[in-house]
Structure formats: structure tokens, C-alpha cells
Amino acid sequence: MTFRLKMLGETWPLFSEQDNPASYSRCLLTRILTYLYLTGFNLRLLLNPFNLAYDWQTSGIRLVRTWNDSRNLQTIYLLLTFFALVLRISNEILHRWRIVSQQRSDLKLLKPQRINKTPLSPKLSKVLLSLLFLSIPYLPASNLFITVGFVVAERLLYLPSIGLICLICCGLERIHLNQYRRCFQWCQTSLFLLVIVFALKTYQQNQVWNNRESLYRSGIVNVPENAKAHYNYGNWQQEIGNWNDAIYHYKTAIRLWPDHASAHNNLGTLYWKISKIDQAEKHFSRALTINPYHAKAHFNLGKIFRLQWGPSRDNEKWAKSRITITITKTIEDERQKKMK
């Protein structure tokens, strides 16, 4: 952490509401309920990694704002499971500790050097270690200690997946030691089939990353409520000349996230190209209302003013066009200085 702060100039990274909407919510209840739901969501994604997406930001996962949200059932189940595990481990520790204490106080013990001083049984030690490996790597991304710049990041589930595999191995070992032959054979067959299914899913997911089109399309298919996915797909459609599809996805992104300044700017650019100047000016102005430092929106709005009113020095619109273009250059110069 210290090394990372040094690399960042001894400042914490700055994020926006689009990156992590829950952290910017003013309601404490919304933040708590959403964080708890996201914990269960990550666990569910770890157990069933079939609905994957390259980005979960903006409106990909709606905030949990009230107690009567049905998604709280998942949180309740997660908390009950957690408390049951804590209670089970605590009882096991107390039980083992009593046995050790009794052995120490037993004067008739012939070989006191063989007293088991470990308060945990070997089986429970393995389970506890697996649970720690499952949970500890996730803590930095849980928003409990620091604000992170994402909602869900599948890359953070790599290390917890090792803990899950260890738990599965502990279960198989227990079944094998108890000589449940039929059950053990059934588990072996199921595990073999599961490996095949996951291998096929891995191959399929790799195909998604072949090119930008397949990647962006997968975003709007798997997370249709994600404004950023629609925005990215709209950019791709604009690049290949499908302006109608691009307009549709920009509008969808704005509907899902009304304060998406770049979506307003890009939609205004397309309206400019199809000669809908009034609509273009409306969206450029909206982009600047959301983000007064949006350089491209300043530049585009300046072009509209210059086109509409001509190079008249006495004209207010022309003056605005010169101001917006000047602001654009100033913002770009400041950005280049920071990069240097």
C-alpha cells in the first residue's frame, strides 16, 4: 500500500460516481445494503460464473435502497450462513479447549507429553484456512476500508477461488474417509463434469475478447442495464458508420444514467452530422451542465455557435464560440502539463 501511494504521488486515487455509485450515495442505509448485496453477488459469481461482463460500472447493478428489496433475501441468507459458521467454529474451539484443559489437569495421565495442545481439530483447521483464503483477498475490494473504483471486478475472484477449491477438497476428503463409496463416486463424476463445463465456458469467454465488437456486444447482452456497456457499443457503431444504432445505444445509456456527459456529447455529435443542430446544441449544453470541464463538448458547442451566427465580432454567439474553443485549448494544455 505504501509503494502504491508513492507511485500515485502520495495521494489516494480519485473516482467518480460512475465508477462506484454506492460509495457516493448520501444514504447510509443504501451504502450498507448495497455493500452487503455485492458481497453475496461476488460469492454467487464465484459459485456460478456464467453471467460474466467486462464492466459492471454505472447502472450495471442497481443500488439496494430499501429493506423491502427482494435482493436483501440473498444478504440475509449470507449473514445466516456466516453466523452459523462462526458459531460452529467457536463451539469446536471451546470443545477442544475443554479437552486439552482436562488432559492437563488429569494426574493419572501416563504420558503428558502427548497432550494435544491444539484447540482445533485437523479437519476444522483445514476448513478455517480455506474460509480465510476465500474471504481475506476480497476484503480490500469490499469498500469497508477504502473506496474502490469499481462495482464488481471478476479479476478479484481469482484468489478466493483457491479457497473455494480447498473447501471442495475438504468435503471430498470427509466423504472418502467416512467410506461413503456411492456418494464419493457420484461426487467424482459430478466434479469431472463440472471441470468440463467450466473448460467450455472458459473457451467461450475467450472468444468474447477476440475483438471490440464481440466484447461490447457481450456487455449489453449480459448486463443490459449497464449504461457504460451501451455507451461503448454506441461508440463502436458510430465508428463503423451505423449511426442509427449508435443513436439508439447513446439514448439508452442516457436513460440508464442521465448524467453521462460523454454520452450526451457523442449523441450531440451524431445529431450534428445528420443536421439536427437544435438537438445537438441541447446535448452539448447538457454535457457541459454535468461536467463544465468537458473539453470536447466545449469545442463542439463552439462550432455550432460559429456555424449558426458567423464570424461577427459584435455577435454574442460568436463571442461564446471563441470562449468555448479557448476553454477547450486551456483544458487540453493543462492535461498535457499534468501528463508531463
Side-chain angles (χ1 to χ4, degrees), residues 85-234:
L85 287 173
V86 171
L87 184 62
R88 175 71 177 85
I89 294 173
S90 301
N91 289 336
E92 179 69 17
I93 292 175
L94 290 176
H95 178 68
R96 297 283 298 180
W97 188 262
R98 289 170 184 170
I99 293 176
V100 171
S101 300
Q102 185 177 0
Q103 289 178 347
R104 288 176 177 176
S105 60
D106 193 353
L107 299 177
K108 297 181 180 180
L109 190 63
L110 297 178
K111 296 181 179 180
Q113 67 274 13
R114 294 185 179 180
I115 295 177
N116 187 0
K117 299 181 180 181
T118 305
L120 289 177
S121 64
K123 295 180 181 179
L124 193 58
S125 298
K126 295 177 184 178
V127 173
L128 182 58
L129 182 62
S130 301
L131 290 174
L132 291 176
F133 218 112
L134 180 66
S135 58
I136 290 180
Y138 173 74
L139 289 179
S142 62
N143 285 285
L144 295 177
F145 305 106
I146 58 174
T147 300
V148 296
F150 49 83
V151 179
V152 173
E154 296 161 4
R155 62 185 180 275
L156 298 176
L157 299 180
Y158 293 151
L159 288 178
S161 65
I162 299 177
L164 179 62
I165 294 173
C166 292
L167 282 176
I168 295 174
C169 293
C170 290
L172 291 175
E173 180 187 23
R174 185 169 184 178
I175 293 174
H176 178 67
L177 293 176
N178 291 334
Q179 297 182 353
Y180 298 137
R181 293 184 178 179
R182 291 185 178 180
C183 184
F184 185 71
Q185 291 176 355
W186 182 85
C187 289
Q188 279 185 318
T189 304
S190 300
L191 189 60
F192 178 73
L193 294 176
L194 190 63
V195 170
I196 294 177
V197 171
F198 280 178
L200 293 175
K201 177 59 180 177
T202 302
Y203 175 79
Q204 179 186 2
Q205 189 66 18
N206 287 337
Q207 301 304 309
V208 170
W209 290 82
N210 277 339
N211 52 67
R212 290 174 58 194
E213 183 179 7
S214 61
L215 180 64
Y216 293 157
R217 186 187 296 114
S218 69
I220 63 176
V221 171
N222 295 333
V223 194
E225 298 298 316
N226 190 341
K228 188 174 181 179
H230 284 279
Y231 170 75
N232 289 335
Y233 193 70

Side-chain angles (χ1 to χ4, degrees), residues 288 293-300 324 327-328 331-332 335:
L288 291 177
Y293 296 98
H294 200 292
K296 292 183 178 180
H298 275 291
F299 182 77
N300 290 329
T324 53
I327 291 175
T328 302
I331 294 174
E332 292 296 335
R335 184 178 301 174

Side-chain angles (χ1 to χ4, degrees), residues 181-322:
R181 293 184 178 179
R182 291 185 178 180
C183 184
F184 185 71
Q185 291 176 355
W186 182 85
C187 289
Q188 279 185 318
T189 304
S190 300
L191 189 60
F192 178 73
L193 294 176
L194 190 63
V195 170
I196 294 177
V197 171
F198 280 178
L200 293 175
K201 177 59 180 177
T202 302
Y203 175 79
Q204 179 186 2
Q205 189 66 18
N206 287 337
Q207 301 304 309
V208 170
W209 290 82
N210 277 339
N211 52 67
R212 290 174 58 194
E213 183 179 7
S214 61
L215 180 64
Y216 293 157
R217 186 187 296 114
S218 69
I220 63 176
V221 171
N222 295 333
V223 194
E225 298 298 316
N226 190 341
K228 188 174 181 179
H230 284 279
Y231 170 75
N232 289 335
Y233 193 70
N235 288 341
W236 170 253
Q237 293 298 317
Q238 182 181 2
E239 288 183 15
I240 63 178
N242 295 335
W243 290 356
N244 291 332
D245 290 340
I247 290 175
Y248 169 77
H249 287 286
Y250 284 145
K251 286 183 176 180
T252 304
I254 293 172
R255 176 178 60 82
L256 296 172
W257 194 267
D259 291 340
H260 201 311
S262 295
H264 280 285
N265 176 73
N266 290 9
L267 182 58
T269 301
L270 287 179
Y271 280 138
W272 163 276
K273 291 180 179 180
I274 61 177
S275 301
K276 292 186 177 181
I277 306 301
D278 293 338
Q279 291 291 329
E281 182 178 351
K282 172 185 174 182
H283 285 284
F284 291 147
S285 300
R286 177 57 182 162
L288 291 177
T289 302
I290 299 169
N291 181 11
Y293 296 98
H294 200 292
K296 292 183 178 180
H298 275 291
F299 182 77
N300 290 329
L301 192 59
K303 289 196 301 183
I304 287 182
F305 290 159
R306 183 165 57 182
L307 176 67
Q308 286 181 333
W309 302 97
S312 174
R313 295 290 180 179
D314 298 330
N315 195 292
E316 180 182 358
K317 291 286 185 177
W318 170 254
K320 286 184 178 180
S321 71
R322 301 303 301 172

Side-chain angles (χ1 to χ4, degrees), residues 36-54:
L36 291 175
Y37 171 74
L38 289 178
T39 301
F41 183 88
N42 278 278
L43 181 59
R44 181 157 51 89
L45 199 63
L46 184 63
L47 296 172
N48 184 24
F50 282 89
N51 188 26
L52 303 177
Y54 69 91

